[in-house]
Amino acid sequence: MEVREAGLGDLSGIVELHSRARVAYHGAGGLPVGEILTPDLAREQREGWAAAITSAHKRVRCAIVDGALAGVLAMGPPHSPDLDPRTTAQLYQIHVDPQRWSRGVGSALHALFVRHLTDEGLALGVLEVWERNTRARAFYTRHGWRPDGTSRLGPAQTPYLGMQLPRP
């Protein structure tokens, strides 16, 4: 597996992978595909990923397996103004192609986030995960993340739950 910085040339592949992952985890959480894949959401995804890739403050990494995009990681300063970017980073997203789940791609991308915390001397990682995404919640728990008691409304009136990872 090769992991490299994402560029705008990766944008279409990242959006397609993100869509496949969303269908898998939102579908497992009970959302119909028609609510997951809409033109408005597709546009928002494309704009969001393009902004992240070109941002001076965010980092996007692609995991390549056998020449194909297998996963993507986005990280950077925390969204919450209550968190200090001098001590905290946010793991915005890890998405792995569902055909490559349980093959180490997500763990390799997660390790890059942990390395980022260490390299930057940051004390804390934060993320949000959709409550019904039990697979992701279990993944993050296995990697040392713990609920922090925060939440915000997400799809299907189901919250995104905040989690924290103190730097090892």
Side-chain angles (χ1 to χ4, degrees):
M1 175 172 30
E2 168 197 359
V3 179
R4 61 168 173 73
E5 185 174 349
L8 287 176
D10 298 306
L11 184 58
S12 290
I14 289 171
V15 171
E16 289 169 14
L17 183 145
H18 186 183
S19 293
R20 285 192 306 275
R22 284 176 50 94
V23 165
Y25 68 77
H26 278 127
L31 280 182
V33 172
E35 290 182 31
I36 302 166
L37 298 178
T38 68
D40 287 342
L41 286 174
R43 185 186 71 256
E44 288 173 18
Q45 277 183 311
R46 188 167 194 82
E47 290 170 359
W49 281 110
I53 290 168
T54 59
S55 170
H57 305 290
K58 297 178 180 180
R59 297 179 185 183
V60 179
R61 300 292 182 262
C62 293
I64 309 298
V65 176
D66 298 330
L69 181 64
V72 63
L73 160 71
M75 60 185 167
H79 288 306
S80 172
D82 297 333
L83 297 171
D84 186 345
R86 295 170 298 178
T87 60
T88 305
Q90 185 159 346
L91 193 163
Y92 303 128
Q93 302 182 67
I94 290 179
H95 296 290
V96 175
D97 187 323
Q99 293 182 357
R100 299 214 182 254
W101 282 356
S102 299
R103 296 186 187 172
V105 175
S107 291
L109 292 171
H110 183 268
L112 284 178
F113 178 76
V114 173
R115 188 171 337 142
H116 171 70
L117 292 176
T118 301
D119 291 350
E120 298 298 319
L122 302 171
L124 184 67
V126 297
L127 63 76
E128 291 182 325
V129 61
W130 192 49
E131 183 179 57
R132 291 189 197 175
N133 190 345
T134 56
R135 182 182 186 86
R137 288 176 51 209
F139 172 87
Y140 292 122
T141 298
R142 278 193 315 274
H143 285 85
W145 293 81
R146 298 294 174 255
D148 65 9
T150 64
S151 67
R152 69 177 175 89
L153 193 58
Q157 304 299 310
T158 302
Y160 288 105
L161 305 174
M163 299 183 84
Q164 293 185 349
L165 177 71
R167 187 178 77 191

